[in-house]
Amino acid sequence: MLSMIKKWFWYNWVIFALRTIWLAIIIISHVVYPAMIAGPFGVTIFFAFMVYLIPLIVPYRRENWYLAVEVLAAGLFYLYVAYVAPGLLWSFIILVMIIGVASNQKTYVWTGIPCGVIFPVLNGLITNRPPYEYMFSCSFGFAMGLAFGILIQSHKQARIIHEQKQLLEQHIKQIEELTLIEERNRLSHELHDTIGHSLTSLLVGVESLRSSVPDSQIERVDTLVAIAQRSLDGIRKHLHQLSDAQLSQLLGEALRELTKDFMQATGVTVNFRVIGSESLVMQEMSLCLYRCLQESLTNAVRHGQASVITVDLYFESQQLRLQIEDNGNGMESIQFGFGLNSMAERLEIHQGTLSVHSQPGRGTVVICNVPLQVEPVHGKIRLLIVDNQVLIADSLQQILSQQSDFIVVGTANKGQEALEQCEQCQPDIVLMDVHLQGLNGLDALLEMKQRWPNMKVVLMTTFEDSTQAGTAMEYGAEGYMLKSTQPREMVEAIKLIYRGGTWIDQSIATRLFEEMRRQRELLEKYSPNDPNGLTKREIEILQHLSEGLRYKSIAAKMYLSEGTVRNYCSNLYSKLGVNNREEAVELARSKGII
């Protein structure tokens, strides 16, 4: 109760003052005029304290009972006073005003009639006086309280609108900043593609030759690499003179900056801390957690009316955990709307999970878990590199072999040769160019998934092509990567894919998701085969779910990646309006879908 009192506004204190004044009138009347109260003073004071305290306590236990308790307690005490102290009947007007303040357009009828008619008439009968005076004074007091209540509601609405405006302004500002960053990255990738294989081959090739170049020539190698690197950096700088400090910083610094800006914009107290030894995190994973925190902060204030939020970022040995806890209103049941579903989908791409815990009046806790690393089965991740250009294949072999977690078990230049290498070497991950002589990358991918369903395949290309990327993911590829990807980013992406995640270059993903959205809208508009909007593929996956198969088994059976199956399941859960596979299967069977 004390925590609720701390949140009181001026009008709450005005009502509390009126109630206190009413109690003081009862006590002072007895002190000044002892003969005014004919009955036992102790009994009268006891009843008065009950009328004073109980309506203050009830709202924090059963809020919907408050008005009924207030009317009943005040009315019974009013009838009691009519017997023992008729001279104090006028004080009932104060209680009637308080009841009027708490009434609204749904309750004023059943609260106003007892206060303004029924109790005054009963008191008139008890005191043998005409009830008209009591009816007029009580009705007038109730009307004054009702008017004051309307004023309070207007003030509340104005305050809520102001808070929502601040929150939306902050949200829009953050969206604009992230959109600018993503757009700059997209344009940077496009310019990388326009220079084609030349700069890519130069950087990768020269870097791979470093270990075999004499010490006297190392300086020249450094110069060539620096020239090429400056060229790419110059393209970025000329594209946008915008700072992307939020994403170039360590993850902890970026999230701390986000909470600081949010606190300044909304006035909500946000406590942030990093627990554990912070390490570098892949850019896509950083952006995922950044968006999750942004959405959680917005929900905590907009829906939970929180005033204090605690954000903890845990760097653990096997996982990264982001925990957001608020002191808001909480919820009886967790409903995954658009915001929470978006967070869950973002985390699933990185093999992460989202959990939400909430209780009414006790706030909400949002936990985002993302695995950091998994030990390779063979001690090292076995890679097969397939590229049409021998220089790039050899260069990638040199770069990746220098990583302690990787071992390159083979290279190939053609699709058929890649299949033979897969048969002999059994790699964990295949890095394969899309454009190959003879059997191209997409056909080779399809063949690999049919023969080795558990083998992970990443397609690599120089040019962005959302249609090609969509086909690759449909065939079961775990990743679609640009060759211009920085070595560190490529290493982290390969580790993520090995852990079971899916990796698509950010610029390609944006185009791909937009294309998928358009196709889904057209399908639902022109081919409504299912009343729930389920596609043939989604119904097929739903059938497998009903058979008790897990995501991994479904992926192997349909020659898809596990991440793709998770995305399909997320979409069909949303279409059916359910939260998990059990509810989906039960609903599908009841509707005859399966």
Side-chain angles (χ1 to χ4, degrees), residues 245-247 249-259 290 293:
Q246 290 170 314
L247 297 181
Q249 296 171 322
L250 290 173
L251 175 60
E253 295 176 0
L255 298 188
R256 189 185 304 277
E257 191 69 25
L258 171 61
T259 57
Y290 191 95
L293 177 57

Side-chain angles (χ1 to χ4, degrees), residues 77-129:
F77 186 77
Y78 185 41
L79 296 177
Y80 173 78
V81 168
Y83 277 108
V84 300
L88 291 177
L89 287 175
W90 64 272
S91 65
F92 181 64
I93 299 175
I94 298 177
L95 296 180
V96 171
M97 289 178 61
I98 294 173
I99 295 172
V101 170
S103 301
N104 55 43
Q105 60 181 0
K106 295 181 179 180
T107 60
Y108 75 91
V109 174
W110 68 264
T111 57
I113 291 176
C115 292
V117 179
I118 297 177
F119 289 127
V121 169
L122 291 176
N123 277 287
L125 296 175
I126 294 171
T127 57
N128 293 319
R129 294 178 58 181

Side-chain angles (χ1 to χ4, degrees), residues 55 70 79 104 214 257 289 403 409 459 507 515 559:
E70 182 79 271
L79 296 177
N104 55 43
E257 191 69 25
L289 292 177
Q403 300 294 320
V409 295
L459 289 186
S507 58
E515 182 65 27
Y559 305 110

Side-chain angles (χ1 to χ4, degrees), residues 530 534-543 593-594:
D530 183 83
L534 299 181
T535 64
K536 182 179 179 182
R537 177 58 61 88
E538 289 169 345
I539 294 176
E540 185 178 357
I541 290 178
L542 188 57
Q543 182 65 46
I593 299 175
I594 57 175

Side-chain angles (χ1 to χ4, degrees), residues 91-263:
S91 65
F92 181 64
I93 299 175
I94 298 177
L95 296 180
V96 171
M97 289 178 61
I98 294 173
I99 295 172
V101 170
S103 301
N104 55 43
Q105 60 181 0
K106 295 181 179 180
T107 60
Y108 75 91
V109 174
W110 68 264
T111 57
I113 291 176
C115 292
V117 179
I118 297 177
F119 289 127
V121 169
L122 291 176
N123 277 287
L125 296 175
I126 294 171
T127 57
N128 293 319
R129 294 178 58 181
Y132 307 115
E133 180 181 350
Y134 299 138
M135 292 174 63
F136 174 78
S137 59
C138 291
S139 298
F140 181 74
F142 183 84
M144 288 182 60
L146 193 62
F148 186 60
I150 294 173
L151 177 64
I152 291 174
Q153 290 299 322
S154 299
H155 179 271
K156 287 182 179 179
Q157 292 295 329
R159 178 172 57 83
I160 292 172
I161 291 172
H162 178 69
E163 291 176 353
Q164 295 293 326
K165 180 183 177 183
Q166 283 186 317
L167 188 62
L168 289 174
E169 286 177 350
Q170 173 71 6
H171 196 58
I172 290 171
K173 179 183 176 182
Q174 293 171 354
I175 290 175
E176 288 177 348
E177 291 174 353
L178 288 173
T179 302
L180 287 173
I181 292 171
E182 291 179 348
E183 179 65 10
R184 192 190 68 169
N185 289 337
R186 186 185 69 82
L187 292 176
S188 297
H189 281 299
E190 286 186 353
L191 281 186
H192 283 176
D193 288 342
T194 59
I195 63 177
H197 296 290
S198 55
L199 272 179
T200 304
S201 301
L202 177 63
L203 276 172
V204 177
V206 173
E207 193 68 41
S208 66
L209 294 174
R210 184 184 297 276
S211 59
S212 60
V213 172
D215 294 341
S216 59
Q217 300 297 320
I218 288 295
E219 186 175 350
R220 295 186 64 185
V221 171
D222 292 338
T223 301
L224 290 173
V225 171
I227 290 173
Q229 193 62 53
R230 281 199 301 270
S231 299
L232 289 176
D233 293 341
I235 291 172
R236 295 191 182 98
K237 291 178 181 178
H238 290 297
L239 276 173
H240 261 295
Q241 296 300 323
L242 296 173
S243 172
D244 65 339
Q246 290 170 314
L247 297 181
S248 64
Q249 296 171 322
L250 290 173
L251 175 60
E253 295 176 0
L255 298 188
R256 189 185 304 277
E257 191 69 25
L258 171 61
T259 57
K260 181 180 177 181
D261 292 343
F262 186 86
M263 187 162 49

Side-chain angles (χ1 to χ4, degrees), residues 385 387-397 411-413:
I385 299 173
D387 198 288
N388 196 32
Q389 298 187 56
V390 178
L391 174 61
I392 291 182
D394 293 342
S395 300
L396 287 174
Q397 181 182 14
T411 61
N413 306 119

